[in-house]
């Protein structure tokens, strides 16, 4: 428990990915089974633990600590788990050596509901504050140390020199404490697993630069829309149904409507969208459904999920990945025809003769849910990773607007000494001013797009032009114009300006441009996709 | 005379009627008895300053020799007559020179603790409990969630991190008076004999400590050493470490040495990568043990979490009340 608690304690304060990886690698190398397997499960969110409600945890603590002092402490600390971990009085003599992680996990899992408070009390006595915290978090779910399942698997791949793609294929067929996985990582036999539902590492595209066209023949390629949703892989066999994200995370809990509709067998690669009558809705509506553990009936009705299929990896049990794309697409179309699946349709192929023709189509794209085109070689098999050549993504050119810097905030980690998070605005009529008066309405926030040298200049400018502070946020003089690039504008009721930008980034600092010549909210609104 | 008549709260601070002096006044007064050199206890401008020789030296270093019209140094443990009272300064273990103020008159005794801690500190004399009728205690960490770990453990964690990341420099945010010197002295005890690098704001007080006989080993001011600071330990005021000053350091691991680091949300809010739980204030166990040890029947609780400590006192049958002193706790709040 000690090593696991130390790992969590260090991870929570470590912002840097490379450092997190180093910590995870060292832990997985040095820790014996089954502790490291339970730790992996806890970090990856696959550890099943009895759920302890806050009232059970509070009850155990208040049996030891004056409830008034406990309440005052909880008010101060904020987090119940941390309050209990810190306030628990050390017994004069510990009733035994600190338990290991596996002992803790196994005993808690075996304990009946009635026995759990007593067991917690005993374990708390044998642990120190940071291990108590880890124990409570194990039962409360969600370590919140900034480690994704993918990062944990990446650490395994790097430390033990096995391909990440193979670990990801095996992952969903294995279960905690992963003794067979670690045995294989350390040089043993690959675990025997039913891989029919396993995640198949996805094939990804590279950005298409215009100069490429000279070497590409239109006839060798097919084009389709690059839909603006979340890339998914939906797999269904007799063993069950799975919905994976691009990183192999399980999306099923957030999308019961999709799972319920998967009454077919096979494995489809596609784009997850919120769509009503086949028409994609703004990305924000999909985002509202992502990451939910529980989905309300209202959400299911108002924001129905839908898969627009790009590719067919398995038809029933048959693996199609080695076939050329053209053949897989034909099978996909036929498969959809045969099964007529609910909540799933085909991403249609775009006919074109020349690249110029395709470019014109791309430039005309404004509809909701489209972020550009995909160009794919007809003869390419489905290959994991991002091979150069078979698949290209050709995003439409970003839109841009000149906006005025309004607020700045310091960044995190390496950027903590820089004002690097910016809020900017566009002009709108000021209803409180005299006729014709204008004021700025915030239209977006950006943390990127600028070079390191520009960041230094922006930071210096912010420091010299602060006017007000609101907590960590600094208001600045409304005088600096920045050119903001963004992928789309969406009409939004949540923002005062009535518009929201998708993927805004600061493209250029317009030192030359007077603030009153910056763009107006109206202009941005006109860039939004037609509604309905 | 009742012990509670020895002290009363006035807008300027804690007034001691029989001595005709204020203890740690927040505004300039005629006569100030000062427990220690931190800015929230020792402010410039009073006409006469009465304190330990170390505190007088620290006050003069911080505010200049002209900040007080007159200063009087009384060594710890030597009683002094002031008006109708006897005043004795007794070590408080907080920072170099820190003292409790013992006030005796009419057969009653009150002790004003100032800030204190019970853990050992190589840079100052240890706290000595004084039996009394009225004890005025601080309560910066007056909640049972605060139990400071042994400082050696925290230093060991720091040195382990330094060893694990030799390509980075470790920059520790520490208050300029007391915490900085204690961290340096504890690093020396743990065998760290390399040069320790300082932000300019820390240099003056480290020099005063050296002059007052607290050895701190080789120190150097951070200038433009750049990559030379890889693998080294740097100390600076907490405010400087999250600001432009820190950019001159090679990929720093931002550390903070403070009792507040016990609460991980606090550490995260401040962008600290390595929180070190090192405090110069008594933790909950020390506060309650000290109150018991003084035998005081009346306890006044100042700056911090007064409510919890007053509750605890009431449960012990003591007469306790919070004392609302303005402007306290600023060094730990940083």
């Amino acid at each position: 428990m000690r090593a696991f608690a130390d790992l969590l304690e260090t991870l929570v304060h470590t912002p840097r990915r490379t450092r997190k990886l180093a910590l995870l690698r060292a832990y997985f190398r040095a820790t014996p089974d089954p502790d490291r397997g339970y730790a992996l499960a806890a970090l990856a969110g696959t550890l099943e633990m009895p759920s302890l409600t806050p009232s059970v945890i509070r009850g155990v603590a208040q049996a030891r600590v004056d409830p008034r002092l406990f309440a005052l402490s909880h008010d101060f600390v904020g987090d119940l788990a941390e309050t209990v971990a810190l306030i628990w009085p050390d017994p004069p003599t510990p009733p035994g050596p600190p338990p290991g992680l596996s002992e803790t996990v196994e005993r808690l899992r075996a304990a009946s509901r009635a026995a759990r408070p007593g067991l917690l009390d005993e374990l708390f006595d044998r642990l120190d504050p940071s291990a108590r915290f880890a124990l409570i978090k194990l039962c409360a779910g969600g370590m919140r140390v900034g480690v994704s399942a993918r990062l944990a698997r990446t650490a395994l791949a790097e430390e033990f020199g096995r391909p990440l793609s193979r670990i990801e294929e095996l992952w969903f067929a294995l279960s905690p404490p992963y003794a067979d996985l670690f045995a294989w990582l350390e040089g043993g036999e690959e675990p025997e697993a039913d891989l029919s539902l396993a995640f198949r590492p996805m094939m990804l595209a590279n950005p298409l630069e215009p100069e490429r066209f000279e070497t590409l023949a239109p006839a060798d390629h097919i084009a389709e829309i690059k839909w603006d949703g979340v890339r998914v892989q939906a797999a269904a066999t007799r063993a069950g149904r799975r919905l994976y994200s691009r990183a192999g995370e399980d999306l099923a809990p957030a999308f019961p409507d999709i799972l319920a509709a998967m009454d077919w067998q096979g494995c489809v690669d596609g784009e997850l969208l919120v769509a009503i009558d086949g028409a994609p809705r703004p990305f924000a509506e999909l985002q509202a459904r992502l990451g939910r553990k529980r989905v309300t009936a209202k959400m299911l009705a108002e924001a129905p999920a839908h898969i627009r299929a790009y590719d067919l990896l398995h038809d029933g049990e048959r693996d199609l990945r080695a076939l050329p794309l053209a053949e897989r697409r034909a099978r996909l179309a036929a498969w959809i025809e045969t099964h007529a699946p609910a909540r799933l349709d085909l991403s249609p192929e775009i006919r074109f003769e020349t690249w110029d023709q395709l470019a014109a189509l791309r430039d005309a794209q404004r509809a909701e849910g489209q972020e550009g085109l995909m160009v794919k070689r007809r003869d390419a098999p489905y290959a994991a990773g991002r091979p150069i050549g078979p698949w290209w993504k050709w995003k439409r050119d970003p839109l841009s607007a000149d906006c005025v810097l309004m607020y700045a905030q310091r960044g995190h980690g390496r950027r903590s000494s820089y004002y690097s998070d910016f809020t900017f605005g566009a002009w709108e009529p000021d209803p409180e001013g005299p006729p014709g008066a204008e004021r700025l309405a915030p239209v977006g926030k950006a943390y990127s797009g600028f070079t390191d040298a520009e960041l230094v200049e922006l930071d210096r400018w912010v420091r010299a032009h602060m006017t007000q502070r609101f907590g960590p946020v600094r208001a600045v003089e409304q005088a600096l114009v920045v050119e903001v690039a963004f992928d789309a504008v969406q009409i939004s009721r949540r923002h005062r300006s009535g518009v929201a930008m998708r993927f805004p980034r600061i493209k250029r600092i317009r030192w030359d441009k007077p603030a009153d010549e910056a763009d107006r909210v109206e202009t941005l609104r006109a860039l939004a996709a037609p509604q309905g | 005379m009742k012990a509670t008549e020895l002290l009363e709260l006035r807008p300027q601070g804690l007034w001691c009627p029989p001595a005709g002096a204020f203890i740690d006044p927040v505004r300039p007064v005629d006569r100030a008895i000062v427990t220690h050199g931190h800015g929230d206890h020792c402010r410039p401008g009073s006409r006469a300053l009465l304190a330990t020789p170390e505190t007088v030296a620290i006050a003069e270093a911080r505010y200049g020799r002209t900040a007080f019209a007159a200063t009087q140094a009384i060594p710890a443990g030597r009683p002094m007559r002031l008006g109708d009272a006897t005043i004795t300064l007794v070590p408080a273990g907080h920072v170099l020179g820190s003292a409790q103020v013992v006030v005796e008159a009419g057969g009653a005794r009150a002790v004003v603790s100032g800030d204190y801690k019970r853990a050992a500190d190589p840079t100052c004399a240890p706290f000595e409990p004084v039996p009394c009728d009225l004890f005025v205690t601080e309560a910066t960490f007056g909640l049972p969630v605060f139990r400071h770990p042994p400082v050696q453990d925290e230093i060991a964690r720091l040195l382990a991190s330094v060893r694990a990341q030799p390509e980075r420099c470790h920059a520790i945010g520490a208050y300029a008076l007391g915490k900085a010197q204690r961290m340096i002295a504890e690093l020396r005890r743990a065998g760290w004999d390399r040069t320790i690098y300082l932000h300019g704001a820390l240099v003056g007080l480290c020099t005063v400590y050296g002059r007052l006989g607290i050895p701190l080993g080789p120190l150097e001011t951070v200038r433009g050493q750049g990559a030379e600071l890889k693998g080294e330990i740097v100390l600076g005021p907490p405010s400087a470490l999250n600001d432009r000053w820190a950019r001159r350091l090679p990929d720093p691991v931002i550390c903070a040495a403070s009792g507040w680091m016990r609460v991980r949300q606090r550490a995260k809010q401040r962008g600290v990568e390595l929180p070190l739980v090192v405090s110069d204030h008594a933790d909950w166990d020390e506060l309650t043990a000290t109150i018991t040890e003084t035998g005081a029947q009346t306890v006044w609780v100042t700056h911090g979490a007064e409510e919890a400590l007053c509750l605890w006192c009431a449960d012990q049958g003591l007469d306790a009340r919070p004392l609302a002193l303005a402007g306290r706790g600023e060094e730990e709040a940083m």
Side-chain angles (χ1 to χ4, degrees):
Chain A
M1 202 67 189
R2 171 76 272 150
F4 179 61
D6 281 347
L7 175 69
L8 294 183
E9 192 84 54
T10 317
L11 284 171
V12 77
H13 296 295
T14 302
R16 203 170 290 178
R17 185 176 180 275
T18 49
R19 180 84 192 122
K20 283 186 202 276
L21 274 174
L23 291 162
L24 291 166
R25 290 176 61 166
Y27 176 84
F28 289 132
R29 174 66 76 180
T31 311
D33 290 318
D35 274 19
R36 59 181 171 179
Y38 283 125
L40 175 62
L43 292 167
T46 56
L47 187 63
E48 302 271 334
M49 290 292 281
S51 148
L52 294 174
T53 59
S55 71
V56 169
I57 296 168
R58 189 183 295 113
V60 170
Q62 289 188 344
R64 284 292 188 96
V65 183
D66 182 307
R68 296 165 305 162
L69 295 180
F70 184 88
L72 287 168
S73 298
H74 188 194
D75 278 352
F76 180 88
V77 173
D79 180 78
L80 177 69
E82 187 161 23
T83 308
V84 174
L86 293 175
I87 208 169
W88 192 262
D90 291 325
T93 43
L101 177 58
S102 47
E103 181 196 334
T104 307
V105 168
E106 285 159 12
R107 287 187 62 197
L108 271 163
R109 289 212 285 206
S112 69
R113 183 177 294 269
R116 283 177 207 153
L119 177 59
L120 270 189
D121 183 274
E122 180 215 310
L123 292 171
F124 284 166
D125 265 351
R126 290 164 58 193
L127 295 168
D128 70 3
S130 84
R132 271 179 227 132
F133 182 77
L135 164 58
I136 300 168
K137 285 293 175 189
L138 277 177
C139 301
M143 293 283 117
R144 295 185 184 278
V145 290
V147 174
S148 64
R150 186 175 172 86
L151 190 73
R153 293 193 292 262
T154 305
L156 295 178
E158 288 186 2
E159 180 62 24
F160 297 100
R162 295 283 192 189
L164 177 59
S165 57
R166 193 62 186 157
I167 296 176
E168 296 200 319
E169 280 183 329
L170 289 168
W171 181 254
F172 282 90
L174 304 175
S175 54
Y178 302 111
D180 45 359
L181 172 67
F182 281 103
W184 168 61
L185 289 171
E186 289 188 327
E189 291 287 302
E190 187 173 297
E192 273 186 43
D194 173 7
L195 294 182
S196 70
L197 275 174
F199 174 65
R200 283 123 180 120
M202 279 195 187
M203 180 160 177
L204 304 170
N206 289 286
L208 184 56
E209 308 296 344
E211 54 272 22
R212 285 275 179 194
F213 289 120
E214 292 167 23
T215 61
L216 304 178
D220 290 343
H221 293 82
I222 68 152
E224 63 184 320
I225 289 165
K226 185 175 189 324
W227 298 97
D228 186 14
V230 168
R231 182 89 179 276
V232 289
Q233 187 177 96
T237 69
R238 263 178 230 99
R241 299 174 184 181
R242 290 277 162 73
L243 184 67
Y244 295 112
S245 73
R246 206 175 81 167
E249 310 292 343
D250 184 13
L251 295 177
F255 296 94
D257 43 353
I258 294 285
L259 268 281
M262 288 166 59
D263 55 359
W264 36 264
Q265 292 194 8
C267 180
V268 172
D269 179 330
E271 195 82 12
L272 183 65
L273 303 164
V274 164
I276 293 176
D277 299 329
R281 302 290 302 158
F283 184 79
E285 295 183 21
L286 177 62
Q287 200 159 34
R289 285 198 52 182
L290 284 168
R292 297 272 170 154
K293 283 253 157 32
R294 241 173 294 148
V295 195
T296 62
K298 186 163 173 271
M299 291 191 92
L300 290 173
E302 286 180 358
H306 183 91
I307 291 174
R308 188 138 292 169
Y310 295 131
D311 217 321
L312 187 62
L313 310 189
H314 279 244
D315 179 356
E317 286 176 13
R318 170 123 197 255
D319 189 343
L320 308 182
R321 285 179 289 175
L323 298 177
L325 171 68
E327 200 164 324
R328 295 201 309 277
R329 293 251 342 163
R331 281 169 180 262
L332 174 63
W335 183 86
I336 291 176
E337 189 86 357
T338 315
H339 295 273
R343 298 184 183 277
L344 188 147
D345 64 3
L346 180 69
S347 168
E349 185 177 333
I350 296 173
R351 308 256 163 220
F352 69 102
E353 304 284 330
T354 65
W355 294 124
D356 286 343
Q357 217 180 346
L358 195 61
L361 281 172
R362 167 178 166 271
D363 291 341
Q365 256 186 337
R366 276 293 170 267
E368 198 68 73
Q370 307 187 6
E371 54 170 348
L373 298 175
M374 295 295 300
V375 174
K376 299 174 174 174
R377 272 195 77 92
R378 291 181 179 278
D379 61 1
Y382 191 96
R386 206 186 289 275
I388 293 174
W391 284 15
W392 303 102
K393 56 181 170 190
W394 196 18
K395 283 200 180 187
R396 66 188 193 209
D397 288 331
L399 302 163
S400 80
D402 288 333
C403 298
V404 182
L405 210 60
M406 297 178 73
Y407 306 100
Q409 198 173 345
R410 284 191 220 184
H412 292 282
R414 236 187 261 246
R415 280 186 173 180
S416 61
S417 76
Y418 291 92
Y419 285 92
S420 59
D421 299 4
F422 304 102
T423 303
F424 40 81
W427 296 107
E428 63 174 11
D430 184 354
E432 283 151 32
E438 297 263 282
R439 65 174 183 185
L440 283 174
V443 292
K445 283 184 183 187
Y447 324 93
S448 64
F450 36 77
T451 62
D452 286 353
E454 284 171 326
L455 174 58
V456 171
E457 291 176 351
L458 283 167
D459 175 75
R460 192 177 306 138
W461 190 88
V462 166
R463 288 170 192 278
H465 295 85
M466 290 177 187
T467 54
Q468 264 182 295
R469 53 172 66 197
F470 309 96
V473 178
R474 301 286 178 271
V476 295
E477 207 180 306
Q478 300 180 343
L480 184 63
V481 177
V482 288
E483 184 179 336
V484 179
F486 47 94
D487 286 2
V489 169
Q490 284 155 357
I491 301 298
S492 157
R493 263 169 301 169
R494 285 189 311 169
H495 297 79
R496 197 187 88 194
S497 61
V499 294
M501 287 178 177
R502 182 117 160 83
F503 290 142
R505 57 263 181 197
I506 291 178
K507 192 172 155 195
R508 250 191 319 164
I509 313 172
R510 296 294 305 266
W511 300 107
D512 55 312
K513 192 158 192 171
D516 55 7
E517 288 177 23
D519 278 313
R520 313 190 67 250
V521 173
E522 262 174 81
T523 320
L524 289 171
R525 202 171 289 134
L527 294 173
Q531 289 295 290
Chain B
M1 201 173 205
K2 287 201 294 193
T4 49
E5 289 166 9
L6 298 178
L7 297 168
E8 65 180 65
L9 192 60
R10 293 198 176 173
Q12 300 94 320
L14 201 55
W15 167 247
C16 177
F22 282 94
I23 299 173
D24 292 350
V26 293
R27 299 180 202 162
V29 296
D30 274 351
R31 198 182 282 168
I33 305 173
V34 164
T35 57
H36 65 283
H38 279 146
D40 52 341
H41 290 259
C42 176
R43 293 170 197 263
S46 288
R47 285 190 46 206
L49 167 73
L50 210 122
T52 62
E54 295 86 356
T55 297
V56 170
I58 288 165
E60 287 180 347
R62 301 191 94 180
Y63 301 127
R65 289 186 173 276
T66 55
F68 303 92
T71 57
Q72 185 173 0
I74 353 174
R78 186 184 301 167
M80 191 191 108
R81 195 78 193 155
L82 196 64
D84 296 329
T86 304
I87 302 291
T88 316
L89 300 179
V90 175
H94 176 56
V95 298
L96 180 60
S98 67
Q100 311 168 68
V101 180
V102 181
V103 181
E104 290 165 291
R109 185 189 286 162
V111 173
V112 179
S113 73
D115 291 337
Y116 65 99
K117 70 169 174 290
R118 305 302 297 270
D121 179 344
T123 65
C124 64
F127 180 96
E128 292 171 23
V130 179
C132 57
D133 307 298
L134 166 63
F135 186 51
V136 182
T137 182
E138 66 140 320
T140 306
F141 292 108
L143 284 168
V145 281
F146 289 109
R147 275 172 290 156
H148 308 321
V151 64
Q152 293 79 1
D153 294 0
E154 300 301 290
I155 296 289
R157 287 202 305 122
L158 168 62
L159 293 178
S161 177
V162 171
R163 279 192 300 273
Q165 302 178 81
E167 72 294 351
R168 304 176 72 184
C169 115
H170 280 66
I172 307 169
Y175 193 64
L177 167 58
K179 187 67 61 62
Q181 295 78 19
R182 183 179 179 207
M183 289 301 290
I184 296 170
E186 291 291 357
L187 279 164
R188 299 303 184 208
R189 285 221 301 197
W192 184 263
D193 50 14
R194 303 178 60 81
T195 298
I196 293 175
Y197 295 83
L198 303 178
H199 181 281
L202 269 45
V203 174
L205 285 162
C206 286
T207 309
V208 172
Y209 266 59
R211 212 172 61 222
L212 293 172
I214 308 295
L216 297 175
L219 304 175
E220 204 176 294
T221 309
V222 174
R223 292 194 183 85
Q225 291 97 334
E228 284 171 41
L229 296 180
K230 285 182 181 178
E232 303 295 350
I233 295 175
V234 174
L235 269 80
S239 55
L241 295 190
N242 275 327
D243 210 333
R244 280 186 283 187
W245 182 81
R247 291 182 203 163
R248 69 197 70 199
L249 305 175
D251 193 11
V253 178
I254 303 295
C255 318
S258 162
W260 299 118
M261 291 299 112
R262 188 75 167 168
V263 180
R264 61 172 77 198
Q265 270 317 316
R266 290 239 172 176
K268 276 196 78 77
Q269 269 162 17
R270 280 184 32 183
V272 171
E273 192 168 340
L274 182 64
L276 301 168
V277 189
V278 179
S279 177
D280 287 331
H281 293 269
D283 66 8
W284 175 259
D285 292 344
E286 294 173 18
L287 290 169
T288 53
T290 304
I291 291 169
T292 307
E293 229 174 321
T294 62
Q297 287 306 299
T298 308
V299 179
W300 293 352
V301 183
T302 73
H303 57 308
E306 293 96 348
E307 200 180 345
L309 202 56
C310 287
L311 272 175
W312 180 87
C313 287
D315 287 348
Q316 317 303 310
L318 305 176
D319 174 20
R321 70 173 174 98
L323 202 60
L325 286 172
R328 284 295 159 77
E330 121 191 338
E331 92 273 13
E332 277 285 359
M334 281 178 64

